[in-house]
Amino acid sequence: MQKDVARAAASRRANTYLRIGATLAIALLLQVYLHPAWGWAWAGAYTLCYAFENWVRGPTESAPTWRRLAAVVAPFITSAAFGAVSMALFASHIRFAPTLGGMLLAGALLNVVVVNAGNRLATLMAAAPHALYLLIAPFVAKAANPGANLADVLWFGAVLMIVSVTVASRTLSAALKAEADAKAEAERRRHEAEEAVAAKSAFVAMISHELRTPISAILAGAARLHSEVPEAGQKIHAQLIADAGGLMRTLLNDLLDLSRLDAGRMTVEQSAFNLRQALSDTLRLWRPEIARKGLKLRVQGAATLPRWVAGDAMRLKQVLNNLLSNAIKFTERGEITVVLHAQPSPEQVLLSIEVIDTGPGIPEAALPRLFAPFDQLNAAVVRQHGGSGLGLAISRELARLMGGDLTASSAPGHGAHFTLTTVFETAEAPRAEDEGRSITGLRVLVVDDHVVNRRAIELVLQPFGVDATLAESGEEALELLNAEVFDAVLMDVYMPGMDGREATRTLRAGSGPNRDTPVIAVTASATPKDWDACMAAGMNGHVAKPIDPAELFGALAQVLAGDASEAVTDAA
């Protein structure tokens, strides 16, 4: 009950300016046209009653009993004060004055219904005086006009008005209840949808974590087999395994990227890289495939690009790879044109990449859903070309994370035209000593609870000339780190018992020979939150599963170069 009273009071207080303004306007009109002696007195009395109502209907949690009772009765007093003017108008001999009185009562009743909708007690207390005035009005009109038989008809009008307002009040209450129920249902469904999305993201993360282990082994084993077997036929089989593993990794990465984008956890890095070299490497990767299909590749504007910028080279390559893959996939004859353009400024570089093909183009009806996840142009595309339908959706979101966008246009029969824009910061070329790094001869401790992962990382490290020692738990790793000297540690983050972060914290807190040895986190949960937790535990870098040899080489070279730089600084 107290909550209903408080809610009604808040609703009535919201109409304070309207109520006081209407009262003063009525008093002014009465003064101008009827010249009553009581007009302004009535306005003042109503204002005082309304002020008293607002005072007693303030916070009532700790108010005395009399004030809580007064808060319930106050609307009755205020309405009685307002409606009193109608009685004077009904008693007036001036033409149309009773009509004005009836209009005021009708308006007051409608206002009560609207303002107090959903609160029966407040509606009853505020409407009761007006209903009583309507029932008394015929008596007043009959007394003021004894010879007017029409005054008897006022009974019918009064009853009709009271019934109409009662029906309107119930109808409004039902509508408000239906609206509240609809909002509650919508909120429940929204909550269920959020839970479903969270469950889907958790499921994708869990499955991806489990799939990365066998994929890492497949890729590492296939690469090792391809490099060691002498027969051409066996090399073809090894390459087939590698291609299949690469396709699995691509699909898995797409699912992970989509999951991170849905959860708002996708970020782009800001590090200096050679823009020309990055684009050249990406285009060089696709030249054999383009030549195999008998197509031509035209590149325009490469010489106008700046060399060094700061941004996420990996994500830029990912988007460009997707655009080139689609262009090759859907183009049977002709050429693929890549137009490069940069607008440099003192602090930023706006990069534009256009990929234009001579394929069949994109139907106009399909353009609006081109960037929708899991959507393909039609069933024939899925049967002929495969794919998950995630590439363009992810590419557009990555482009927007990089400060740009990805758009598409097409005329059927004239090919597709994709335009990628990104924003990079200007950067300087790295120092000469940062280039040409080598990790040959390093002693690296590989820590992972899964034997497949340990063996896969060992296979990746061997071609670099790295001597790998394997440990299956955090406890075993600490024993080895206290007994031998290593150049770096590749530490799995999630392991049963002592996990990678706890092992790293223990290593940093000790006084063994590897206390300051660089530790690189190796995990499938490649999110910024995970990386921040790794850095807080004392780790120096990170690589994601399945292991990319180039990424692993870069991570080792980077942390070792940083370690060497710190050693030179300390010696100085």
Side-chain angles (χ1 to χ4, degrees):
M1 176 179 174
Q2 292 298 327
K3 290 183 178 180
D4 292 340
V5 171
R7 188 163 53 249
S11 179
R12 290 171 68 86
R13 279 196 297 271
N15 289 271
T16 296
Y17 293 111
L18 175 62
R19 285 169 167 273
I20 300 302
T23 302
L24 295 177
I26 292 171
L28 179 62
L29 291 174
L30 291 175
Q31 182 66 37
V32 171
Y33 294 103
L34 301 181
H35 312 292
W38 46 263
W40 292 109
W42 164 80
Y46 172 77
T47 302
L48 290 176
C49 291
Y50 188 69
F52 173 75
E53 176 187 341
N54 283 337
W55 176 69
V56 298
R57 303 191 80 178
T60 58
E61 290 80 2
S62 59
T65 303
W66 70 266
R67 185 173 173 182
R68 290 197 294 269
L69 293 176
V72 176
V73 178
F76 183 93
I77 299 174
T78 304
S79 295
F82 181 85
V85 68
S86 64
M87 294 296 97
L89 293 172
F90 274 114
S92 175
H93 298 285
I94 300 176
R95 191 178 184 184
F96 299 123
T99 304
L100 177 60
M103 293 175 64
L104 289 178
L105 284 178
L109 270 175
L110 290 176
N111 179 264
V112 166
V113 170
V114 173
V115 171
N116 299 286
N119 189 320
R120 292 185 178 180
L121 178 61
T123 302
L124 179 62
M125 295 302 295
H130 301 311
L132 291 175
Y133 284 138
L134 281 173
L135 294 175
I136 296 173
F139 292 108
V140 177
K142 189 77 172 179
N145 302 276
N149 296 327
L150 192 60
D152 295 329
V153 183
L154 288 177
W155 285 102
F156 175 76
V159 172
L160 182 62
M161 172 61 68
I162 293 173
V163 172
S164 299
V165 170
T166 302
V167 173
S169 176
R170 291 189 175 184
T171 303
L172 181 59
S173 297
L176 291 175
K177 184 179 183 302
E179 181 184 7
D181 292 343
K183 287 182 177 180
E185 178 67 14
E187 181 65 20
R188 184 184 65 81
R189 292 183 178 274
R190 183 187 67 81
H191 183 67
E192 290 179 350
E194 290 178 349
E195 288 185 339
V197 170
K200 182 201 71 173
S201 299
F203 176 76
V204 170
M206 183 271 293
I207 292 297
S208 65
H209 189 279
E210 297 301 320
L211 288 177
R212 282 178 179 269
T213 294
I215 291 177
S216 296
I218 291 171
L219 293 174
R224 184 65 179 273
L225 183 63
H226 187 276
S227 64
E228 291 183 350
V229 296
E231 295 83 359
Q234 292 180 354
K235 285 185 177 292
I236 293 176
H237 294 157
Q239 187 60 48
L240 179 61
I241 296 173
D243 292 343
L247 178 59
M248 291 173 63
R249 180 171 63 182
T250 300
L251 293 174
L252 176 60
N253 287 337
D254 283 348
L255 287 172
L256 282 174
D257 285 344
L258 180 67
S259 177
R260 292 172 192 153
L261 288 168
D262 286 343
R265 297 184 301 181
M266 178 69 79
T267 60
V268 293
E269 296 183 356
Q270 290 293 324
S271 58
F273 70 96
N274 190 323
L275 177 61
R276 292 190 187 182
Q277 187 65 48
L279 296 177
S280 176
D281 291 344
T282 304
L283 293 170
R284 186 184 302 111
L285 176 68
W286 291 100
R287 286 185 184 277
E289 180 69 14
I290 293 174
R292 187 185 66 79
K293 291 194 68 172
L295 306 174
K296 293 182 180 180
L297 175 63
R298 296 177 55 200
V299 181
Q300 302 175 1
T304 64
L305 299 180
R307 289 191 179 274
W308 291 95
V309 296
D312 198 323
M314 183 187 72
R315 295 303 183 184
L316 174 64
K317 292 180 180 179
Q318 180 179 347
V319 177
L320 183 55
N321 278 329
N322 183 265
L323 296 180
L324 290 171
S325 174
N326 286 342
I328 297 170
K329 182 188 303 182
F330 294 102
T331 304
E332 297 299 329
R333 61 180 61 88
E335 63 184 19
I336 296 172
T337 303
V338 178
V339 181
L340 307 173
H341 179 69
Q343 296 181 5
S345 67
E347 297 182 354
Q348 291 183 331
V349 175
L350 175 61
L351 174 66
S352 172
I353 302 177
E354 299 176 65
V355 179
I356 309 166
D357 62 56
T358 56
I362 305 170
E364 184 177 355
L367 281 173
R369 57 187 177 86
L370 187 62
F371 296 97
F374 301 105
D375 201 352
Q376 299 276 28
L377 296 183
N378 51 58
V381 171
V382 180
R383 290 194 300 268
Q384 182 177 356
H385 301 289
S388 62
L390 295 175
L392 288 177
I394 294 172
S395 295
R396 168 174 275 187
E397 294 303 320
L398 289 176
R400 291 175 175 175
L401 284 175
M402 291 188 287
D405 203 354
L406 178 61
T407 58
S409 61
S410 177
H414 294 81
H417 187 158
F418 287 87
T419 302
L420 166 67
T421 58
T422 61
V423 177
F424 296 115
E425 297 179 2
T426 56
E428 297 180 356
R431 296 172 299 177
E433 57 266 26
D434 292 339
E435 300 178 356
R437 302 167 182 165
S438 174
I439 60 174
T440 302
L442 293 180
R443 294 199 68 221
V444 175
L445 177 63
V446 178
V447 188
D448 198 297
D449 64 298
H450 203 296
V451 63
V452 175
N453 278 341
R454 295 196 300 273
R455 182 58 181 157
I457 296 175
E458 183 183 26
L459 289 175
V460 172
L461 291 174
Q462 282 180 357
F464 297 126
V466 173
D467 179 16
T469 300
L470 309 182
E472 65 178 357
S473 66
E475 292 85 355
E476 183 182 354
L478 291 176
E479 291 179 5
L480 290 171
L481 289 168
N482 286 327
E484 305 177 40
V485 177
F486 293 93
D487 296 302
V489 180
L490 295 176
M491 182 78 73
D492 185 25
V493 174
Y494 296 103
M495 296 183 291
M498 178 181 288
D499 64 19
R501 297 191 188 110
E502 184 180 353
T504 303
R505 283 191 289 266
T506 303
L507 174 65
R508 298 302 188 214
S511 57
N514 295 286
R515 176 181 179 181
D516 298 321
T517 298
V519 178
I520 298 175
V522 182
T523 179
S525 301
T527 65
K529 183 178 180 180
D530 289 315
W531 296 145
D532 291 342
C534 291
M535 297 302 107
M539 296 181 174
N540 306 88
H542 59 265
V543 292
K545 298 178 183 178
I547 299 297
D548 184 312
E551 183 182 358
L552 180 58
F553 175 88
L556 283 170
Q558 183 176 4
V559 298
L560 291 172
D563 186 57
S565 176
E566 291 177 3
V568 171
T569 302
D570 292 341

